[in-house]
Amino acid sequence: MTAETTDFAEALRAAGLRVTQQRLRVLSILMQAQDHPNADEVFTRAREIDGSVSFATVYRTLSALEEAGLIQRLSFENEPARFEVMPSADHDHLVDIDTGEVIEITSDEINRLRAELVARLGYEIVSQHTLIRARRKPDA
Amino acid sequence: MTAETTDFAEALRAAGLRVTQQRLRVLSILMQAQDHPNADEVFTRAREIDGSVSFATVYRTLSALEEAGLIQRLSFENEPARFEVMPSADHDHLVDIDTGEVIEITSDEINRLRAELVARLGYEIVSQHTLIRARRKPDA
DNA sequence: ATCGATGCAAAGGTTTTGCATCAAT
DNA sequence: ATTGATGCAAAACCTTTGCATCGAT
């Protein structure tokens, strides 16, 4: 077991989950991913490594990891949910509507303003996510 | 035809769509809605008025109206898409995770900051939406 | 040995689509 | 009359679930 998978294993145990090959695999796929794969893509990548992984397990694993706070589910418009390892800071996503490329963006100031606004309404933020659909500026 | 439906009719024609009973009905339902109904709820409400409206038409109509810029599709997490008439100003949604209540929130300052941020990346915002899952403050 | 996790297949819920008919232009 | 819109039913699509088996503890 590599140092990397040892870390994963500890995180899983800390969340009260059994350390299975499948979970290590899914976590590792998401940690290595440069993009934001959906369940089907995670499944395909997992299959390349272990031909016996099932669809059901991928879905169950993704839900379990989400509930354990290890990964985050992203709900984009009109497409299956995508996943990413839990980010350290709240960040949002910009989708290039022409290429489909996803860019992560962060603004502490916006986060602060939002928290204030929500607090004024008598609420506490549990989670938040901004989806921006944008197009490259032609004159950029 | 009431003044209200005349307005709808003009909006439809301006969008290059035929003015059908079904479209007027769906638009009218969304304009009167105090909530953010999903396709199924729109269908049910339409059925109460016209027993012949079909599911397929509701979905096709919602997509057509969205493309025409008359209504907006809201993608919440893990639930079917909801719809609202196109708002004059960009606004976001706060979902009370305990009651399911949806509250509309707006902040010109946040919108401005976001536009700036996106522009700096060389993009123009096509649409944007923030979903905040929140819980009432116990000590509010 | 226990009991949670898995794989398979089948079902569930939401949305789309093919096609004949209808109705707005 | 033309052609887009509708209704119906069937399919597609994404996700969840029942159940027998497997494997982590």
Side-chain angles (χ1 to χ4, degrees):
Chain A
M1 200 181 265
T2 67
E4 207 179 29
T5 55
T6 303
D7 289 348
F8 297 172
E10 277 167 21
L12 285 172
R13 259 188 280 269
L17 297 173
R18 286 189 179 174
V19 180
T20 66
Q21 292 303 304
Q22 293 87 339
R23 285 174 179 163
L24 291 177
R25 208 143 279 148
V26 167
L27 257 179
S28 146
I29 285 167
L30 286 180
M31 295 203 107
Q32 285 164 19
Q34 295 302 307
D35 54 353
H36 298 78
N38 58 34
D40 192 70
E41 288 160 346
V42 171
F43 170 69
T44 302
R45 295 177 201 182
R47 264 276 155 109
E48 284 168 13
I49 307 167
D50 173 356
S52 78
V53 179
S54 77
F55 228 87
T57 295
V58 168
Y59 272 103
R60 279 191 280 235
T61 297
L62 290 170
S63 293
L65 296 180
E66 183 195 13
E67 216 163 331
L70 295 175
I71 67 174
Q72 193 155 1
R73 178 191 306 262
L74 305 172
S75 296
F76 288 15
E77 299 197 332
N78 268 351
E79 51 171 313
R82 296 170 177 235
F83 298 85
E84 66 180 7
V85 290
M86 184 58 79
S88 42
D90 253 328
H91 67 269
D92 300 320
H93 294 92
L94 181 158
V95 180
D96 184 319
I97 62 174
D98 295 317
T99 69
E101 190 191 356
V102 176
I103 297 171
E104 298 189 353
I105 59 182
T106 320
S107 166
D108 292 340
E109 197 174 356
I110 289 177
N111 286 345
R112 192 177 48 69
L113 284 170
R114 273 206 294 244
E116 254 175 43
L117 196 62
V118 169
R120 222 175 299 136
L121 293 169
Y123 282 90
E124 284 172 338
I125 292 179
V126 173
S127 73
Q128 58 178 310
H129 181 236
T130 298
L131 176 65
I132 297 177
R133 297 174 55 244
R135 174 176 287 132
R136 273 219 98 77
K137 274 192 286 191
D139 52 358
Chain B
M1 197 182 267
T2 67
E4 208 180 27
T5 55
T6 303
D7 289 348
F8 297 173
E10 276 166 22
L12 285 172
R13 258 188 281 271
L17 297 173
R18 285 189 180 176
V19 181
T20 66
Q21 294 301 307
Q22 293 86 341
R23 284 174 181 165
L24 291 178
R25 209 142 278 150
V26 167
L27 257 178
S28 149
I29 285 167
L30 286 182
M31 295 202 106
Q32 286 164 20
Q34 296 301 308
D35 54 352
H36 298 78
N38 60 32
D40 192 70
E41 289 160 347
V42 171
F43 170 68
T44 302
R45 295 176 200 183
R47 265 277 156 110
E48 284 168 12
I49 307 168
D50 173 357
S52 79
V53 179
S54 77
F55 228 87
T57 294
V58 168
Y59 271 104
R60 277 192 281 233
T61 297
L62 289 170
S63 292
L65 296 180
E66 183 196 12
E67 215 164 330
L70 295 175
I71 66 173
Q72 194 156 0
R73 177 191 306 262
L74 304 171
S75 296
F76 288 16
E77 297 195 334
N78 268 350
E79 51 172 313
R82 296 171 177 234
F83 298 85
E84 67 181 5
V85 289
M86 183 58 78
S88 43
D90 253 329
H91 66 268
D92 300 320
H93 293 92
L94 181 158
V95 179
D96 184 319
I97 61 174
D98 294 318
T99 69
E101 190 191 357
V102 177
I103 297 171
E104 299 189 352
I105 59 182
T106 319
S107 166
D108 293 341
E109 195 175 356
I110 289 177
N111 286 345
R112 192 177 48 68
L113 284 170
R114 270 209 293 244
E116 255 174 43
L117 195 63
V118 170
R120 220 174 300 134
L121 293 169
Y123 282 90
E124 283 170 337
I125 292 179
V126 173
S127 72
Q128 57 178 311
H129 180 237
T130 298
L131 175 65
I132 298 177
R133 297 173 56 245
R135 173 176 288 134
R136 272 218 98 78
K137 273 191 288 191
D139 51 358

